[in-house]
Every structure is written in structure tokens, then in C-alpha cells.
Amino acid sequence: SNRIQINSMDLIPKHLGEAFVALENERFYQHNGIDIQGIVRSGWHFIESMGKRKEGASTITQQLLKNTIFTTWTEENGNMVKMVKRKLQEQYLALAISKEFPKDEILLRYMNAINLGQNTLGVESASQRYFGKSCSDLTLSECAVIASITQNPTGFNPIHFPKANAGRRKDCLDNMLEL
């Protein structure tokens, strides 16, 4: 895979971690690996929409597990039993990981594993692909651009869909300011 591992948070701009937290898991530093409030919100929206609206409730810790351990999740193809089993396993392991590793270590591992489109895995590869420089040199706006890709690596690709990415980047920056 196209991945360049970063081994220390010292090599990643503070704003890059903040951008991922703002978009993917704003209570990351407050919960124990699973976000009960997010699960309740997601469930409520699912019930309210009569099953038509699915909303993510995975934490950064759970997404790390999904991207590194449960890599066949895309093959579930609507199989609710498989999905629920994986989600329960993710939650159990997320609790265990949160006991063993500090939050910044979990965030670093997540940022090294996340799919950021165009065959790039991790923030260093994405930074070089999209901006031609190391992620340690990213500006605040560039950090938001990269974090904005995660929800839909094809649809929020800043090269092919700059307007879509710009909208998500604005949301990211607004969330960062609010947090």
C-alpha cells in the first residue's frame, strides 16, 4: 500500500489531529473508546427515519480497528448479523485499547491507517500526494482538507471534487473553532 508511517505525534501538526477529532469524533478525548452519546444519537436518527437514515457512531478508536483488524467489513453487504457482531467486537476491543494506550497514540495510529483516497493510506502519503510536502509542513487549511477526505475518499477528493472538499473543509474548520 502507499503508506508512509509516522512514528511520533511530534511530526504531525497539532491542527491535523484536531481536524480529525472535529470531524470524526468530537468527544474523542472524553470517552473510553466508545461514545454512548453518539450511539444513542445514531439510533434515534435511524428510528426516526424508519430505518432510512444511517448515521455513523464509530469512534476514532473503532475506526482504527475497522481499518486494521476488521478489514473485511465492506463484504458485509447489508448482513445485519455480521455487522452487529463486528460492531460489538469493535466496541469491546475499543474499550481494551483505550485502557492500554494514551489517546494521542490511538490518534497517531488512526492517522497512519486511514484511507485518504487515490491509493493513499495515512496522512503522510496523503500530504505528499495532495500538497507535495510532508504533513509536518501542512497549514491549518491543508490539515482540514486532508481530514475532510475521510468520510468519502472518492467524493471528497480535493483534486477531482474540489468544491465538495471545500464545503467539508469549511465544516471542519467551523467544528474546530467551536471545539
Side-chain angles (χ1 to χ4, degrees), residues 100-111:
E100 293 296 319
F101 295 101
K103 290 289 188 170
D104 282 344
E105 176 71 17
I106 294 168
L107 184 59
L108 175 64
R109 289 172 185 246
Y110 167 82
M111 289 190 292

Side-chain angles (χ1 to χ4, degrees), residues 27 35-46 55-58:
R27 288 179 293 280
D35 183 4
I36 300 299
Q37 188 176 341
I39 293 169
V40 170
R41 181 203 70 239
S42 175
W44 174 253
H45 288 146
F46 183 76
E55 192 173 297
S58 292

Side-chain angles (χ1 to χ4, degrees), residues 15 61 83 94:
H15 291 309
T61 311
M83 186 193 72

Side-chain angles (χ1 to χ4, degrees), residues 67-91:
N67 289 323
T68 58
I69 306 297
F70 299 105
T71 57
T72 60
W73 67 272
T74 57
E75 298 168 13
E76 291 171 358
N77 295 329
N79 185 323
M80 197 66 128
V81 173
K82 284 184 179 181
M83 186 193 72
V84 169
K85 181 180 176 186
R86 176 186 47 82
K87 282 290 193 186
L88 292 172
Q89 290 172 324
E90 273 179 21
Q91 290 174 354

Side-chain angles (χ1 to χ4, degrees), residues 126-153:
S127 179
Q128 290 183 20
R129 171 70 181 103
Y130 297 117
F131 298 108
K133 59 184 174 181
S134 173
C135 80
S136 63
D137 297 323
L138 291 173
T139 66
L140 169 62
S141 180
E142 291 166 340
C143 289
V145 165
I146 287 180
S148 296
I149 299 168
T150 60
Q151 186 181 46
N152 182 343

